[in-house]
Amino acid sequence: MERWKEIGSLSLEMASQVQGYSLQQYKEEIEHFSFFESYFPDSLKEVELPDSYISFFDKLMEDFRSGELQRVITRFHLVTEGILADLGLTILNDSSRRLGLKEFNDGIKRIIADEARHFKFGLSLISDKSYAVKRVEEIFPEAMRIVMDGKEKLSYLGYEEEKLRDMMEKLRKARVNQLLT
């Protein structure tokens, strides 16, 4: 989880450069990690991340280091939050609701609302829609690899490969459509 510490400082640095950037978003991201750590205190430190995940987030750090706002927004707001987090939170929301985990589900619902605001804020900062569409399309296969690398674990929650692919495709199309409208 060392990557998250570096991303946190890079994100805060970027926040200071963006007019209107919400430090509230930065605070909420920290709260999200705290929420998950409260439920999974040891497993988050010990989880072995797939290479696809490590590569994706290493590229996110490169984007932050570049200082190029459009580059950061497309990977972080549009793909990381708008596709990957959306998918993961949808699965956690559905599963926790089905399993009757009310307190956990309430926390997930708050995170879903936060992430929706973060995505919309990122979308509002896009200045070159054609660049953003191109970047989403370029980054999407990396995001799909992360999900497919975790498909075995997600199948325990009732999400088989075909369903995951369909959900990811719908999210990709929705994000591209949001950019084009």
Side-chain angles (χ1 to χ4, degrees):
M1 289 297 164
E2 279 300 310
R3 284 174 174 77
W4 285 112
K5 288 179 185 172
E6 185 175 354
I7 286 177
S9 64
L10 290 168
S11 178
L12 189 56
E13 187 179 309
M14 179 66 74
S16 67
Q17 298 174 24
V18 178
Q19 181 68 24
Y21 189 90
S22 173
L23 290 178
Q24 180 67 24
Q25 177 178 340
Y26 179 78
K27 179 181 169 271
E28 287 169 356
E29 294 297 348
I30 292 169
E31 289 171 356
H32 299 170
F33 278 103
S34 296
F35 170 80
F36 286 111
E37 283 180 334
S38 73
Y39 281 93
F40 312 103
D42 295 324
S43 56
L44 288 180
K45 293 175 184 133
E46 297 172 10
V47 69
E48 191 168 324
L49 300 171
D51 289 341
S52 56
Y53 183 97
I54 292 167
S55 173
F56 185 91
F57 283 94
D58 284 349
K59 289 177 184 174
L60 177 60
M61 286 192 296
E62 289 173 22
D63 290 342
F64 270 108
R65 285 184 200 117
S66 77
E68 295 174 35
L69 183 60
Q70 299 301 297
R71 212 172 128 179
V72 173
I73 292 168
T74 50
R75 185 174 295 270
F76 184 70
H77 290 86
L78 301 185
V79 179
T80 306
E81 294 193 321
I83 296 176
L84 286 170
D86 194 324
L87 177 78
L89 291 167
T90 296
I91 291 169
L92 289 173
N93 182 47
D94 176 57
S95 299
S96 61
R97 188 180 61 247
R98 246 184 312 113
L99 295 169
L101 304 172
K102 183 175 176 5
E103 187 177 313
F104 184 78
N105 186 253
D106 289 345
I108 294 299
K109 287 179 191 175
R110 279 191 300 279
I111 294 172
I112 287 171
D114 292 346
E115 295 298 335
R117 275 193 321 280
H118 302 172
F119 170 77
K120 288 180 182 173
F121 177 72
L123 198 58
S124 75
L125 295 174
I126 295 293
S127 60
D128 184 343
K129 291 184 177 192
S130 62
Y131 170 81
V133 168
K134 181 180 173 210
R135 279 275 290 172
V136 168
E137 296 292 357
E138 287 173 0
I139 297 169
F140 179 76
E142 297 173 43
M144 181 67 85
R145 273 192 292 285
I146 292 170
V147 173
M148 290 301 105
D149 284 347
K151 70 183 176 201
E152 182 180 318
K153 290 173 179 63
L154 296 172
S155 70
Y156 293 113
L157 297 173
Y159 289 85
E160 299 298 330
E161 181 175 345
E162 185 176 337
K163 186 174 185 176
L164 291 168
R165 286 186 185 281
D166 287 347
M167 291 172 75
M168 287 288 287
E169 252 329 293
K170 284 179 185 170
L171 286 167
R172 181 195 62 76
K173 287 177 185 173
R175 299 315 176 224
V176 168
N177 286 340
Q178 286 169 303
L179 284 164
L180 296 175
T181 56

